[in-house]
Amino acid sequence: MSARGKLTSEETALAFLMGFGMLLMMMALIGGAALGAQANQVVFGTLFMLGAAAFAIGALLWLGYVQPWKQFDDINVPVDTGHQPEGH
């Protein structure tokens, strides 16, 4: 099964929000580095902060929605795959 098939529509939307935030941050950093001293610090700083906010909001919403600390594997319980050889 692909990773995409395991995500709900809410998780996909949050992943897009976090990815968009990362994209904004990368665009701000690359644009500021490319323009050097001529870069408008207000524009690129705002773009970076919007990206950081989008990423943080998406991550916090994901943590609240998925609650990964409640869903974990117990390593003491073996998983029955149904493929065990005869006699074991």
Side-chain angles (χ1 to χ4, degrees):
M1 177 182 287
S2 69
R4 172 167 267 166
K6 295 180 183 179
L7 295 178
T8 64
S9 60
E10 292 85 6
E11 291 171 334
T12 303
L14 293 173
F16 274 111
L17 178 62
M18 290 187 285
F20 181 67
M22 290 180 67
L23 177 68
L24 287 179
M25 290 188 289
M26 287 187 288
M27 287 174 50
L29 292 173
I30 291 170
L35 294 176
Q38 298 172 348
N40 187 344
Q41 292 181 358
V42 173
V43 171
F44 288 110
T46 303
L47 188 64
F48 185 85
M49 292 307 292
L50 286 173
F55 181 81
I57 289 169
L60 289 174
L61 288 173
W62 178 80
L63 283 171
Y65 178 73
V66 175
Q67 297 180 354
W69 58 89
K70 290 184 178 180
Q71 304 168 8
F72 57 91
D73 291 336
D74 186 3
I75 61 171
N76 296 321
V77 178
V79 177
D80 182 18
T81 60
H83 290 54
Q84 296 169 351
E86 294 288 328
H88 287 275

